[in-house]
Amino acid sequence: MTPQNDIDECIATPIHASDCTSWEIPDPDPELILASFDDEAVAAYAVRIRPVYERFKRIIGQLSGLLILAQTAPAQADRDQPMVTSAREQLAEAAESRRESRAPQAARRHVAAMARIEEQLDAVLATLDRRIDLATPESPDLELAMRRLFTAHGLLLAVSDDRAEMTPVDFSHACCSCGANGSDADTTAVEPDASTTASPSPQSTD
Amino acid sequence: MANYSIHVLEYAAVPEYHVSGIIYGYHNQGYRKLPYAYALIRSEDHVALVDVGYNHKDYGKHLADKFGVRNWHSPRDVLSEVGLTPEDVDTVFVTHAHFDHFGSVEDFPNATFYIQERELAKWVWAMSLPDRMRWMMVAVDPGDILRGVDLARQGRLVTVDGDMQDVIPGVDLHAAYDSHTFGSMWVTVRNDGATPSQDTWVLAGDLIYVYENIEGDGGAVGVDKVYTPTGLATGSQTNLVLATEEIMKQVDYEKRRVVPVHEERLKDDFPSRNTSADLRISEICVADGANSQVN
């Protein structure tokens, strides 16, 4: 089956499974996205664009959450409307920052991907103005909005880069954050018996 | 009469997690292993999971490289050790929306997912806040929320508003708002099906990481044991303590009946075995007529 046939079939399908190929985005290749991170100009671009990346990431989460709530709690539209407004304002701010970020030629793929993310999010926000159209599973608006969000998220993963501290999840205080990357942990003395039986001690508040 | 078998299935681990993150105020106590696990509740009629692990495809390598998360195995591998497949799972209780609990939703094509509505609504709100308040959305993956849209559209995501009884027979959900997260919940199994039950188990999610959260050292306040909450609370440690009291009441203050999935020492209290992949399976209880999965 050709890719076009795949797409046609997907469009004709009212509900897609989460493993449907219609959601798939080509695997990212970070080395190609910020090809010359050692280049000072690329590194400077990464610092400038990171807040935009962070905002796009959160807007994807916001819009996804709003799409869920539109389906599972349609009676709460009034509660959710300020969050739509807020997402719109934040996207406008992020878009302005993105446009103002000078980018070297070596970061052009990153720049292009960021522009596409913005485009997708903008379109989804327009859909949220007609929230009533998103409440049913068969809604073509919902289908399209999801498609755009999956595209935006795929692109976000593609432009993520550990070296630039652009990561899809903030793990800094999460259940995985051993307070350090492996190297920090290795340099800290660990009592042999502290690994599983740390005995209770007086609590401190420092 | 026991209607359900309950197992805790490890799927990955952080070999050295700082103790102060696990137990509030336990600074300079070194590190300990923090298993990542989900809980399996199984009867003849239902296969339910409490949480589903993290999305290894999107950032497994990052977690391994940066944070030392080790030995991740897919739900298919993990469940095969107890004779199940992800397709067998019909119900998933998502205790909260952190990445290591709400990540692998696409691996369970036949499951209906339950999560507190407040958990989603407040994360959406938190994500709208300025950068300087980003701490509030720590450990939440927008990709997980996005996959939740697909679940909702398929009618497989149920948002719960507060407590909910008999979601499947004898299994209840209890909300703990503004505690570990905005809309955390715990799962109570009344294994005799009765109300009140004489055979209650609590799957605590991240409201209780380890036993010290229930029986912490009370020396500083002149008592033997005190509830000492987890280190991470997007809500408050006060609400964690209040939730712990509710949980303990449900089990008549019997610590053994509260199952913290991040607790490595479950193996000391319950029959356990390690798989060939070095993942622990702890057998909390076995339903009448069912076989042990660890002997």
Side-chain angles (χ1 to χ4, degrees):
Chain A
M1 182 177 273
T2 65
Q4 186 55 50
N5 285 342
D6 275 342
I7 291 168
D8 290 344
E9 185 173 308
C10 282
I11 289 170
T13 305
I15 297 179
H16 300 271
S18 58
D19 58 354
C20 173
T21 54
S22 69
W23 305 128
E24 284 184 7
I25 303 295
D27 283 341
D29 185 348
E31 294 304 321
L32 285 176
I33 294 286
L34 281 176
S36 313
F37 192 73
D38 294 338
D39 179 328
E40 227 172 71
V42 172
Y45 163 76
V47 170
R48 285 193 296 273
I49 205 67
R50 186 181 166 215
V52 179
Y53 168 93
E54 291 293 337
R55 182 48 71 190
F56 283 176
K57 176 172 79 181
R58 273 174 282 161
I59 292 173
I60 290 171
Q62 286 170 256
L63 299 184
S64 301
L66 287 165
L67 286 180
I68 293 177
L69 295 171
Q71 297 174 78
T72 61
Q76 297 281 8
D78 288 347
R79 174 196 65 185
D80 298 343
Q81 187 54 41
M83 294 191 280
V84 177
T85 306
S86 157
R88 179 169 292 113
E89 290 168 358
Q90 288 167 1
L91 182 62
E93 279 177 27
E96 192 176 341
S97 299
R98 185 191 64 76
R99 283 191 293 272
E100 289 173 354
S101 292
R102 296 183 313 281
Q105 185 65 11
R108 64 188 182 282
R109 288 170 63 93
H110 200 276
V111 171
M114 292 292 281
R116 279 192 65 204
I117 294 172
E118 180 188 317
E119 188 183 298
Q120 302 298 327
L121 297 181
D122 195 42
V124 176
L125 269 164
T127 313
L128 278 165
D129 284 337
R130 302 183 307 280
R131 187 185 150 110
I132 190 72
D133 295 338
L134 302 171
T136 57
E138 300 79 15
S139 160
D141 283 356
L142 178 62
E143 162 82 21
L144 189 57
M146 284 181 64
R147 212 175 263 280
R148 289 186 185 284
L149 277 177
F150 272 98
T151 301
H153 186 250
L155 289 162
L156 186 91
L157 293 177
V159 301
S160 298
D161 194 312
D162 291 357
R163 298 165 304 178
E165 296 183 18
M166 289 189 270
T167 55
V169 185
D170 180 1
F171 297 111
S172 56
H173 297 275
C175 313
C176 64
S177 84
C178 41
N181 52 36
S183 59
D184 285 348
D186 290 342
T187 58
T188 305
V190 178
E191 293 296 329
D193 62 349
S195 59
T196 57
T197 58
S199 56
S201 67
Q203 295 174 39
S204 71
T205 54
D206 57 0
Chain B
M1 181 184 78
N3 294 325
Y4 292 99
S5 297
I6 302 175
H7 293 86
V8 174
L9 309 175
E10 180 180 342
Y11 71 88
V14 183
E16 292 184 344
Y17 187 89
H18 59 110
V19 174
S20 62
I22 301 171
I23 313 163
Y24 182 83
Y26 275 41
H27 302 296
N28 302 313
Q29 297 292 307
Y31 299 85
R32 70 171 65 170
K33 178 185 173 186
L34 190 77
Y36 282 10
Y38 21 80
L40 171 68
I41 305 170
R42 179 185 192 179
S43 70
E44 283 188 0
D45 300 322
H46 289 283
V47 177
L49 281 180
V50 181
D51 300 320
V52 287
Y54 69 78
N55 186 316
H56 189 263
K57 182 180 159 195
D58 283 357
Y59 41 74
K61 184 175 183 306
H62 177 78
L63 284 173
D65 293 349
K66 192 90 174 171
F67 294 103
V69 180
R70 298 283 180 264
N71 204 25
W72 179 88
H73 284 76
S74 69
R76 188 166 301 282
D77 288 349
V78 172
L79 287 170
S80 71
E81 287 286 342
V82 290
L84 293 170
T85 69
E87 289 78 11
D88 295 326
V89 176
D90 56 61
T91 308
V92 172
F93 306 114
V94 180
T95 60
H96 61 294
H98 280 165
F99 74 97
D100 57 319
H101 296 256
F102 190 32
S104 290
V105 299
E106 57 202 352
D107 288 328
F108 300 94
N110 302 317
T112 297
F113 289 71
Y114 293 80
I115 189 170
Q116 289 289 324
E117 182 188 319
R118 181 183 172 83
E119 179 76 348
L120 291 174
K122 292 291 278 185
W123 283 123
V124 174
W125 166 77
M127 284 187 270
S128 75
L129 298 174
D131 279 354
R132 59 186 175 276
M133 299 167 84
R134 263 177 57 192
W135 180 85
M136 278 200 272
M137 62 158 292
V138 67
V140 173
D141 178 4
D144 292 342
I145 312 291
L146 176 54
R147 283 180 281 273
V149 184
D150 190 29
L151 288 180
R153 200 170 62 127
Q154 295 176 52
R156 295 198 292 123
L157 182 70
V158 177
T159 53
V160 181
D161 186 11
D163 296 350
M164 188 174 185
Q165 197 164 358
D166 287 312
V167 181
I168 56 176
V171 178
D172 310 329
L173 305 179
H174 297 275
Y177 292 156
D178 296 322
S179 55
H180 180 61
T181 61
F182 298 115
S184 284
M185 65 181 184
W186 77 86
V187 179
T188 302
V189 179
R190 289 177 285 106
N191 217 3
D192 52 7
T195 306
S197 171
Q198 301 302 310
D199 186 10
T200 302
W201 297 95
V202 167
L203 290 315
D206 273 1
L207 297 169
I208 296 166
Y209 281 167
V210 294
Y211 287 139
E212 284 95 334
N213 300 139
I214 307 171
E215 293 187 340
D217 176 42
V221 291
V223 296
D224 184 24
K225 304 286 184 191
V226 293
Y227 301 151
T228 309
T230 63
L232 175 59
T234 307
S236 78
Q237 265 83 12
T238 295
N239 286 335
L240 274 169
V241 169
L242 292 171
T244 303
E245 173 65 3
E246 288 303 311
I247 287 170
M248 292 303 285
K249 248 190 233 171
Q250 285 188 354
V251 298
D252 203 17
Y253 298 91
E254 190 181 346
K255 182 197 82 172
R256 187 173 181 275
R257 295 232 164 219
V258 178
V259 183
V261 296
H262 287 300
E263 174 57 85
E264 172 68 356
R265 289 165 294 179
L266 284 177
K267 67 179 187 299
D268 300 332
D269 283 1
F270 297 97
S272 298
R273 71 174 167 91
N274 275 26
T275 69
S276 57
D278 198 26
L279 296 170
R280 178 176 41 78
I281 297 172
S282 295
E283 189 161 86
I284 308 303
C285 62
V286 179
D288 292 351
N291 295 322
S292 168
Q293 298 293 330
V294 298
N295 295 324

